[in-house]
Amino acid sequence: MSSWKLMLRQIVRNPLSLAGVIIIFIFITLAIFAPLIAPVPEGHRDPYLIPHDGYSITPQPPSEEHIFGTTQGQYDIFYGCIWGARTAFRVAFLVMAITILIGLVLGSLSGYFGGKIDEVIMRITDVFLAFPALILAMAIVASIGPSINTVIIALCVVWWPSYARLIRGDILALREEDYVEASRGLGASSARVILRHVLPNAIYPTLIMASLDIGAVVLSAAALSFLGLGAPEGYADWGQMTEFARNWIVGPQNDPLKYWYAVITPGVFILFFVLGWNLLGDAFRDIFDPRLARR
Amino acid sequence: MELRAYIARRLLLLIPVLFGVTVFIFAITMFFSPTERATLYVTSPQGMRDLPSIIEQYGLDRPFFVQYGTWLNQVFHGNLGWSNVVSMPVGRAIFHYLPATLELAIFATPIIILTGIFFGSRAAAHKDKPVDHATRVVAILGWSLPTFWLGLLLMMIFYGYFRGLLPPGRLSSAMEIMVTSGDFIRYTRINTLDAILNLNGPVLLDALRHLILPVITISTVNVAFIMRLMRSSMLESLGKGYILTARAKGVQEKLVISKHARRNALIPVITVSGYLFAALAGGAVITETIFSFKGMGWWASQSALRLDISSVLGFALFMAVMFVLVNLVVDILYTRVDPRVRLGGGVQ
């Protein structure tokens, strides 16, 4: 309990960390209360599909009816941005959870047993790390077919190797600790040693890295959507909404910034979501990794 | 370990990596049926009739490893296949699109590394002063910026508001004509470099004008990354005993910072050069696509989008080789900067 209080005090004391907590809290609120903030219109089947008012492709400026305006195809920007928070959380958490799980299993096998298993797993990670992640993810999404779930799968495929390596490294160091030796000396099985003694100590650096990484996951997912390799058309997804704005960057000669609302709004949501996680990640790192703290 | 043996060992390790990368990408494409893959070769509606013969000719319905073996055999004979997206052989496509990407990298890398190191070490030297706070805020904002959105914002300002100031593409059409005319010798296809070699001022200016926005777009995130890294690395090095010793000896603070602290703080920055390479390659995809700056990234993304298998494989092979070579050079450089590190692991 006291350690929680200590953590809270450290977060509140640092204005940047506090800003991170507030930003993420606002996004959590938006995601949870999305149906209240941006009500689903009557008779609308899937709440994640942004309702659209007609089919005209030209974006319309903010009005009483559409407070953030509408983007290409008359999709309501406000609705898309609010429900997009749910999409962002879903992608970020699923990718992180699956990645960490794979990383934990393969990394601990690799680090604890060493030898041939280690060699094989590490060569496999080499293969994945030898290639720009975004392009590999693009190829995967393109071949399975674009959807939110494919984006999640593709990001997991390109993301797990760095976690497997991180965890392996931590475990290699922990394996030599006296308490691990002692437990083994007392006749504990490998599984027990890994699960009870090694992993609990390896998990903190992993979680810190994960909190620092969530922003990057969201950015990559948004980039895939932006390239047309993400959500189906009209899905509440910030990356795709930015893509919709691509044809409307330059307005007519006499009003070049006419469609600013379609370009800027979804990007601001991405920026603040990622910023919030990055600030929070920094805060966690400072708190849990005293070696790096408050430098 | 002896340098030559070390390099040989690392290059040998490249073989399983290349094998793995290509098998993996080849396997991904197997999600598609032979007919779907055959349609990639068809250019007209009438061509659809030839689908069965295309499948037959390229062996698209044979088992996975037979198809992979055929491809590998061709690669050993120097044939990387045909790039449908740009209608030229993959080998030629690589050399056609590489210069544009190299040009981006040539301008972006020094900017990224120098600005990152400069502001990162300044922030650390003035910890908790306004400079430090400003650097941290800028760094974390830059690190959180979606690259594609930044590109769109820059376009909105410079294509819309200041119309015609910084145009898209690699060259204006007038300059494109001049460059392709007989008088202009394209030594490298890197426009700025060629312009200098040809002593052609207008082309140089035009090429630079086209480079500004893409370079800003691709650099921002990475400048922020190096700033953060440099700041924390510098702070760590400032806390070391030898800094205290230097200060106690009465060494000027300026010298302490530049010679004792910064030099040691540079080591992690060199380590991430390999990462920076991958980040630039990924960033090039988005940047080149947005600004229609046709380079490797643009070609790779078009190929991935249209599932042009031989292009993606050719690109993968090339990238993997480059990546391994970059990391090899980084590791060797490392021993020069930090004499304690020995090749092949272990610290003296």
Side-chain angles (χ1 to χ4, degrees):
Chain A
M1 194 55 208
S2 66
S3 74
W4 278 100
K5 264 189 192 152
L6 204 69
M7 189 176 113
L8 263 176
R9 196 182 302 160
Q10 272 180 305
I11 285 181
V12 176
R13 221 171 23 197
N14 183 341
L16 284 178
S17 312
L18 188 62
V21 173
I22 293 173
I23 293 173
I24 293 306
F25 182 75
I26 292 175
F27 274 108
I28 292 175
T29 319
L30 289 185
I32 292 176
F33 297 108
L36 296 177
I37 302 170
V40 186
E42 199 106 7
H44 195 64
R45 276 176 300 124
D46 184 350
Y48 286 95
L49 291 178
I50 312 172
H52 58 116
D53 215 354
Y55 293 91
S56 156
I57 58 165
T58 323
Q60 296 300 322
S63 62
E64 222 159 83
E65 206 178 334
H66 305 288
I67 55 171
F68 284 1
T70 59
T71 191
Q72 179 181 306
Q74 298 315 309
Y75 292 106
D76 186 66
I77 296 177
F78 179 74
Y79 188 97
C81 285
I82 300 297
W83 284 80
R86 286 195 173 190
T87 312
F89 274 113
R90 186 167 60 162
V91 172
F93 283 148
L94 276 176
V95 170
M96 264 0 297
I98 298 171
T99 305
I100 290 175
L101 197 68
I102 301 175
L104 275 180
V105 172
L106 293 182
S108 39
L109 284 178
S110 196
Y112 189 79
F113 292 107
K116 279 233 172 64
I117 300 179
D118 183 34
E119 192 67 23
V120 169
I121 295 177
M122 284 305 109
R123 289 297 79 77
I124 295 175
T125 61
D126 278 347
V127 167
F128 285 93
L129 294 173
F131 200 69
L134 186 65
I135 296 166
L136 189 56
M138 283 171 68
I140 296 172
V141 177
S143 41
I144 313 180
S147 77
I148 289 285
N149 289 335
T150 333
V151 168
I152 293 172
I153 294 172
L155 289 179
C156 292
V157 170
V158 298
W159 229 282
W160 70 267
S162 34
Y163 280 82
R165 292 209 148 188
L166 175 81
I167 292 159
R168 168 185 178 265
D170 287 337
I171 285 176
L172 275 182
L174 289 169
R175 202 172 61 169
E176 307 303 325
E177 293 285 341
D178 288 340
Y179 57 82
V180 174
E181 190 67 26
S183 154
R184 224 179 292 147
L186 287 169
S189 68
S190 290
R192 190 183 160 83
V193 175
I194 291 181
L195 290 177
R196 297 282 309 200
H197 299 284
V198 177
L199 277 189
N201 288 296
I203 200 92
Y204 272 122
T206 314
L207 290 182
I208 293 169
M209 179 156 150
S211 66
L212 285 165
D213 238 12
I214 286 188
V217 168
V218 174
L219 281 182
S220 304
L224 286 173
S225 270
F226 176 76
L227 290 166
L229 289 169
E233 174 162 353
Y235 202 86
D237 175 89
W238 300 330
Q240 193 196 45
M241 292 173 71
T242 317
E243 204 266 323
F244 278 167
R246 219 169 131 187
N247 298 324
W248 306 98
I249 302 159
V250 179
Q253 193 95 46
N254 54 5
D255 189 8
L257 303 181
K258 189 175 178 190
Y259 305 111
W260 62 271
Y261 48 86
V263 183
I264 290 182
T265 320
V268 169
F269 275 79
I270 306 179
L271 171 64
F272 274 93
F273 191 80
V274 175
L275 183 67
W277 280 112
N278 284 344
L279 290 171
L280 210 58
D282 274 359
F284 282 149
R285 185 192 53 192
D286 289 353
I287 294 166
F288 289 116
D289 200 342
R291 285 183 302 123
L292 300 164
R294 291 304 294 147
R295 281 230 188 92
Chain B
M1 205 190 301
E2 203 202 330
L3 187 62
R4 207 174 301 164
Y6 177 73
I7 294 176
R9 203 177 72 96
R10 287 283 295 266
L11 291 182
L12 270 179
L13 277 177
L14 186 56
I15 296 169
V17 169
L18 290 184
F19 182 73
V21 169
T22 50
V23 165
F24 182 73
I25 292 176
F26 222 90
I28 296 176
T29 64
M30 290 296 143
F31 277 105
F32 284 87
S33 71
T35 326
E36 280 173 308
R37 278 176 284 136
T39 49
L40 291 171
Y41 295 90
V42 177
T43 46
S44 65
Q46 292 85 350
M48 295 306 270
R49 270 178 307 188
D50 305 330
L51 281 183
S53 65
I54 291 172
I55 294 175
E56 176 71 29
Q57 189 191 340
Y58 295 99
L60 296 179
D61 55 351
R62 295 217 216 113
F64 172 71
F65 275 102
V66 176
Q67 289 189 45
Y68 180 77
T70 318
W71 176 81
L72 201 60
N73 187 31
Q74 288 295 315
V75 170
F76 281 132
H77 288 88
N79 179 11
L80 283 166
W82 180 261
S83 173
N84 267 309
V85 174
V86 292
S87 308
M88 61 171 98
V90 170
R92 233 183 76 203
I94 292 176
F95 286 101
H96 188 85
Y97 290 108
L98 182 61
T101 306
L102 273 182
E103 191 166 35
L104 264 186
I106 288 170
F107 283 91
T109 314
I111 291 178
I112 293 167
I113 293 187
L114 294 179
T115 8
I117 289 175
F118 179 76
F119 285 105
S121 50
R122 261 188 79 99
H126 304 274
K127 185 175 175 298
D128 291 332
K129 297 274 161 54
V131 187
D132 184 29
H133 292 309
T135 309
R136 292 181 71 186
V137 170
V138 168
I140 202 149
L141 267 174
W143 184 233
S144 312
L145 260 180
T147 308
F148 54 90
W149 187 62
L150 173 65
L152 293 189
L153 288 186
L154 290 174
M155 281 166 84
M156 203 163 88
I157 296 166
F158 289 99
Y159 291 3
Y161 201 74
F162 300 107
R163 198 177 294 255
L165 188 64
L166 300 171
R170 282 187 74 193
L171 283 176
S172 317
S173 38
M175 295 303 152
E176 190 79 57
I177 294 168
M178 186 186 286
V179 165
T180 42
S181 74
D183 302 335
F184 191 96
I185 309 164
R186 306 192 87 174
Y187 298 97
T188 54
R189 290 183 157 274
I190 296 173
N191 291 330
T192 44
L193 196 58
D194 284 352
I196 292 171
L197 292 174
N198 280 291
L199 298 172
N200 191 329
V203 172
L204 179 63
L205 278 180
D206 190 59
L208 286 175
R209 228 154 56 106
H210 284 83
L211 269 165
I212 294 176
L213 295 184
V215 167
I216 294 177
T217 307
I218 204 171
S219 304
T220 306
V221 172
N222 296 304
V223 168
F225 174 70
I226 300 289
M227 263 196 218
R228 278 161 66 110
L229 184 72
M230 189 64 198
R231 179 178 175 275
S232 60
S233 162
M234 184 85 174
L235 283 172
E236 184 171 334
S237 122
L238 278 172
K240 287 278 165 64
Y242 52 75
I243 299 293
L244 196 64
T245 314
R247 279 183 181 148
K249 277 196 307 187
V251 179
Q252 274 186 338
E253 184 63 16
K254 230 181 182 171
L255 277 180
V256 173
I257 301 281
S258 67
K259 278 222 148 139
H260 298 254
R262 192 187 293 150
R263 194 164 292 181
N264 284 294
L266 281 177
I267 295 170
V269 176
I270 294 173
T271 325
V272 299
S273 316
Y275 163 83
L276 198 60
F277 173 79
L280 281 178
V285 173
I286 293 169
T287 310
E288 289 176 7
T289 309
I290 294 179
F291 292 99
S292 51
F293 194 92
K294 292 185 181 173
M296 290 286 274
W298 175 85
W299 175 58
S301 75
Q302 294 302 311
S303 310
L305 284 171
R306 309 222 333 237
L307 221 75
D308 186 339
I309 301 152
S310 22
S311 303
V312 176
L313 283 169
F315 176 81
L317 276 182
F318 181 79
M319 269 306 174
V321 172
M322 292 305 290
F323 196 62
V324 170
L325 290 183
V326 166
N327 278 318
L328 180 58
V329 172
V330 167
D331 287 351
I332 293 169
L333 264 183
Y334 210 54
T335 59
R336 301 265 170 256
V337 187
D338 189 349
R340 288 168 306 175
V341 179
R342 283 170 149 191
L343 290 175
V347 170
Q348 224 165 11

